[in-house]
Amino acid sequence: MGSVSQAYLESEPVKGARSLISELCRQFYSLGWVSGTGGSITMKVHDSSIPKPQQLILMSPSGVQKERMEPEDMYVLSGDGAIISSPSPKPYPHKPPKCSDCAPLFMKAYHMRDAGAVIHSHGMESCLATMINPHLKEFRITHMEMIKGIQGHGYYDELVIPIIENTAYENELTDSLAKAIEAYPKITAVLVRNHGIYVWGDSWISAKTQSECYHYLFDAAIKLHQLGLDWSTPDHGPIQVVKGVPSVDCRMNMSKKARIADSNCNGKPFPRCIVLDIEGTTTPISFVTDILFPYAQNNVGRHLSATYASAETQDDIKLLRSQVEDDLKQGVIGAVPIPSEDAEKEEVIAALVANVEAMIKADRKITALKQLQGHIWRTGFENNELKGIVFDDVPEALEKWHASGVKIGSEASLWKYKIW
């Protein structure tokens, strides 16, 4: 445009865009998108006589009450992002005017996507959608009517939105957002984890419409998740694991048809944690009885001798002493006294081995034995003397649960030491 005249800055297209931003921010505030001075909006001044890349850009200021902004509070920038006009300062308690901290990110959308407007929302839905599973780098959803409101998408399409990680300062997100825009040519939005979303369109109407659709879809995904339903699949049925591994919601003993028909399960949330047994569930019983138990029994003395001075082993011995003292009082067969701590190391170990062998022979389910066995098995796996065996469907089930943000645990220490 060359130099911008004052007359043009006061023209109807510029005045109209200023007023429109004020109006939209009040609406977005009522939706919870720009509360607490967060969020922002920018748009180009539409003028058919000026090429779009050279059209003036209006931006809302940073750190202000968005619902109280007036048209004169907006910044005016050139097509390349240089500030042409700044708002006048306001008296206390207002802060000195400052252009939006989002400006560098807005400019990426303008330059890389030829956008006509960009909206940055802190809407709760956009924040929570990134927190359902902190390991996922994309938000995916399909077969929802409101997907049709997203540019280039239809009802049957899968909508994919990249998620970038948040930073302490808004402008530090610029490179990550640019990489996401480049990596996903079809997108019109980027989610920022624990933060919000950036949405752009070729006009303010397009950006606003898509923002409304995105927030609707995020809200739907959150509610489906609370119901234990999978928003990323076409039928939005109960969240399932794969290859015949049972579902972990209230329908786990039902067929798929019965689960769909059963209304009593509606509203049951998907679990946050799954506790698994080892023997016969993840691992063949024969692996435990024929390999693990004999290994532990045959290596008690070696393990205690090699790690005797460690705090961990001393804790194991303390627990065994306490158990054996109780066993002796109750006349448990196989229990033998353990020499005092002042006794020779070899004497103590010999007594410990005798007691442990008796406990294993009796198949006792006691903490003192299980803790020591776990430490012996861990050493065996670390030294490649043991190699875990699991059923074929276990690794895929674990990956599915992990990807869904479900914590996995077991009553046995084997799980802690990751034998799979």
Side-chain angles (χ1 to χ4, degrees):
M1 289 182 64
S3 60
V4 181
S5 67
Q6 185 63 32
Y8 188 78
L9 292 176
E10 297 175 357
S11 66
E12 288 304 317
V14 177
K15 286 183 177 181
R18 287 177 178 269
S19 297
L20 181 56
I21 290 181
S22 298
E23 178 186 344
L24 290 174
C25 278
R26 285 191 290 273
Q27 180 181 349
F28 295 164
Y29 177 83
S30 69
L31 296 173
W33 296 2
V34 294
S35 58
T37 76
S40 189
I41 181 174
T42 176
M43 68 176 64
K44 289 196 171 184
V45 177
H46 178 69
D47 187 333
S48 58
S49 66
I50 302 173
K52 191 173 181 180
Q54 299 177 22
Q55 290 174 356
L56 292 182
I57 297 171
L58 296 186
M59 282 189 193
S60 60
S62 179
V64 302
Q65 306 294 315
K66 297 298 192 295
E67 76 281 11
R68 295 179 60 84
M69 289 193 309
E70 300 295 337
E72 59 268 21
D73 293 332
M74 308 307 157
Y75 278 82
V76 182
L77 288 73
S78 65
D80 59 7
I83 295 177
I84 296 174
S85 174
S86 302
S88 301
K90 293 184 176 182
Y92 180 86
H94 296 283
K95 296 179 180 179
K98 176 185 176 184
C99 191
S100 175
D101 289 335
C102 307
L105 293 92
F106 288 154
M107 296 308 300
K108 289 296 182 182
Y110 282 133
H111 292 159
M112 298 179 71
R113 284 290 185 269
D114 195 27
V118 190
I119 296 169
H120 175 42
S121 165
H122 283 193
M124 183 64 73
E125 308 94 328
S126 62
C127 184
L128 292 179
T130 69
M131 300 169 68
I132 294 175
N133 187 333
H135 302 289
L136 295 182
K137 302 298 183 184
E138 299 172 334
F139 173 88
R140 292 174 175 265
I141 193 167
T142 186
H143 284 64
M144 293 286 287
E145 180 67 14
M146 294 297 273
I147 291 178
K148 292 162 61 176
I150 306 301
Q151 179 181 311
H153 289 77
Y155 172 77
Y156 296 105
D157 292 328
E158 180 182 45
L159 175 65
V160 181
I161 311 169
I163 303 173
I164 62 176
E165 300 303 321
N166 196 25
T167 58
Y169 300 99
E170 198 88 28
N171 59 8
E172 293 176 350
L173 294 167
T174 306
D175 289 343
S176 296
L177 182 128
K179 290 178 182 178
I181 292 176
E182 185 175 9
Y184 294 80
K186 194 177 180 180
I187 62 168
T188 56
V190 173
L191 281 162
V192 184
R193 197 182 309 281
N194 306 343
H195 183 147
I197 188 172
Y198 283 84
V199 183
W200 56 88
D202 58 9
S203 68
W204 70 268
I205 293 178
S206 173
K208 174 178 176 290
T209 300
Q210 292 185 93
S211 294
E212 292 167 349
C213 292
Y214 281 122
H215 284 78
Y216 175 96
L217 293 168
F218 299 147
D219 187 45
I222 293 165
K223 290 176 179 174
L224 286 168
H225 180 75
Q226 291 172 336
L227 294 171
L229 303 177
D230 190 347
W231 67 86
S232 65
T233 59
D235 62 359
H236 305 305
I239 296 177
Q240 300 287 313
V241 292
V242 293
K243 290 189 176 179
V245 179
S247 169
V248 292
D249 64 9
C250 66
R251 310 162 179 83
M252 66 183 300
N253 293 319
M254 303 179 184
S255 67
K256 182 176 181 181
K257 186 175 182 179
R259 285 196 299 269
I260 296 173
D262 182 50
S263 60
N264 293 327
C265 290
N266 289 337
K268 292 286 185 179
F270 191 64
R272 296 177 180 271
C273 178
I274 297 174
V275 179
L276 296 171
D277 192 15
I278 298 298
E279 298 177 64
T281 301
T282 65
T283 300
I285 295 176
S286 59
F287 174 71
V288 179
T289 58
D290 299 344
I291 298 177
L292 292 183
F293 283 163
Y295 181 88
Q297 185 172 0
N298 296 334
N299 287 277
V300 175
R302 184 178 71 156
H303 175 81
L304 292 174
S305 179
T307 63
Y308 191 81
S310 70
E312 182 178 82
T313 296
Q314 286 299 310
D315 182 61
D316 291 343
I317 294 173
K318 181 179 179 181
L319 201 58
L320 285 166
R321 283 185 185 278
S322 177
Q323 182 64 55
V324 171
E325 288 175 3
D326 289 343
D327 291 348
L328 290 171
K329 291 177 183 178
Q330 297 176 21
V332 175
I333 298 175
V336 297
I338 300 175
S340 66
E341 297 177 1
D342 298 332
E344 292 293 329
K345 169 183 171 181
E346 289 73 15
E347 294 180 34
V348 176
I349 291 177
L352 289 168
V353 171
N355 280 286
V356 170
E357 289 179 346
M359 293 173 182
I360 293 176
K361 184 177 180 181
D363 193 25
R364 298 182 66 184
K365 309 297 185 183
I366 50 179
T367 302
L369 175 61
K370 283 186 171 292
Q371 179 171 300
L372 177 62
Q373 285 177 319
H375 293 154
I376 294 173
W377 289 326
R378 179 189 60 192
T379 301
F381 286 113
E382 290 176 347
N383 294 338
N384 293 319
E385 295 174 355
L386 290 172
K387 184 176 180 180
I389 299 174
V390 295
F391 293 117
D392 293 341
D393 55 0
V394 171
E396 194 166 2
L398 297 179
E399 290 177 2
K400 177 74 173 182
W401 287 328
H402 181 70
S404 298
V406 178
K407 295 181 180 179
I408 308 168
S410 170
E411 54 84 25
S413 58
L414 293 182
W415 199 273
K416 176 181 178 181
Y417 303 128
K418 300 180 181 179
I419 65 168
W420 50 86

